Amino acid sequence: RAFSLRIAAQPFRQIRASFGEQSAPGSLSSALLESRCHPTVQTSAYMLDSVIVIEDDLELSLDSIEYFGALKPLLAADRTLMCVSAWNDNGKEHLAFNPVTLHRTDFFPGLGWMLHRSIWLELQRIGWPAAYWDDWLRHNAQRKERQCVRPEMSRTRNFGRDGVSKGSYF
C-alpha cells in the first residue's frame, strides 16, 4: 500500500548550536534542549496528518518507514491509541522472534514514534515540559488512558555514544 511521507527535519546539532548549548550530551541541559527541539516541529504538524519523531542517536531498521506507513491508518482510526513506537525494550534477538507481531502497551516506549496530528496539537496546547518529555508523556495526564503500539522486534536501535543520550543514560 502506497503512502506519502513529507520530511520536515532539522538536525539536532544545528538546533543545539542555535540555542548556544555547550553542555555535554546526557546532562540535564541536554534533556532540556531535546525537549525544546520538539516544538520546532510543531508548526509543520499543522500541515501533516501525523508526525514521526526520531531522535538523533537512533539507527533505523530497513523497514522502519514501511512499518510506520503500515500502522498510520490504525493510528488515525483508533482513538484509544496515543502513538505507534518503533521500539520494544524486550525486542532483543533472543527474546523477539516474529517481525509482524504487534503489542499494545500503557507505557510510552519512545525511541522512534509516531503521533497523529490531533494528539500532537493537544500536547502542544498543554505545553512541552522543560525537560524529560518522554517521562512526561508516560503520565496519564498526557496519555489519558490511551495506549501505544510497539513491535515485538524493535525497528530502532539506540547508539547514544554520539547523540543526545550520551552520558549517564547510555
Side-chain angles (χ1 to χ4, degrees):
R1 181 169 184 208
F3 65 95
S4 64
L5 177 66
R6 192 176 335 156
I7 299 175
Q10 185 175 3
F12 181 78
R13 286 171 185 84
Q14 286 178 0
I15 296 169
R16 185 182 186 101
S18 72
F19 282 108
E21 187 67 37
Q22 301 300 319
S23 62
S27 66
L28 174 59
S29 54
S30 284
L32 172 65
L33 180 61
E34 185 174 341
S35 183
R36 286 188 223 156
C37 293
H38 294 293
T40 66
V41 178
Q42 290 173 358
T43 55
S44 298
Y46 286 107
M47 300 175 287
L48 306 173
D49 58 2
S50 59
V51 176
I52 299 172
V53 178
I54 306 291
E55 293 88 348
D56 73 330
D57 53 0
L58 291 182
E59 180 178 65
L60 302 176
S61 68
L62 294 175
D63 71 340
S64 60
I65 299 301
E66 182 181 3
Y67 167 81
F68 283 124
L71 294 174
K72 186 176 170 182
L74 176 65
L75 184 62
D78 188 343
R79 294 299 172 199
T80 67
L81 289 178
M82 182 178 88
C83 77
V84 170
S85 177
W87 175 253
N88 176 358
D89 285 317
N90 296 308
K92 312 244 187 292
E93 278 186 43
H94 66 285
L95 297 173
F97 304 102
N98 192 332
V100 298
T101 297
L102 301 172
H103 301 274
R104 290 178 75 112
T105 179
D106 293 327
F107 184 79
F108 173 73
L111 297 180
W113 42 282
M114 178 173 60
L115 291 176
H116 188 270
R117 176 179 61 198
S118 62
I119 295 175
W120 184 267
L121 295 175
E122 173 188 316
L123 295 172
Q124 179 184 8
R125 284 188 294 277
I126 295 170
W128 288 93
Y132 303 108
W133 54 266
D134 50 345
D135 290 329
W136 177 75
L137 284 171
R138 292 179 181 122
H139 291 262
N140 198 44
Q142 287 67 248
R143 200 172 53 77
K144 298 181 180 177
E145 303 296 328
R146 296 175 289 210
Q147 296 180 312
C148 292
V149 170
R150 63 169 172 79
E152 179 169 320
M153 296 178 75
S154 292
R155 299 314 202 272
T156 59
R157 181 182 74 84
N158 185 288
F159 58 84
R161 288 178 287 281
D162 301 317
V164 75
S165 297
K166 179 180 178 183
S168 59
Y169 300 110
F170 184 73

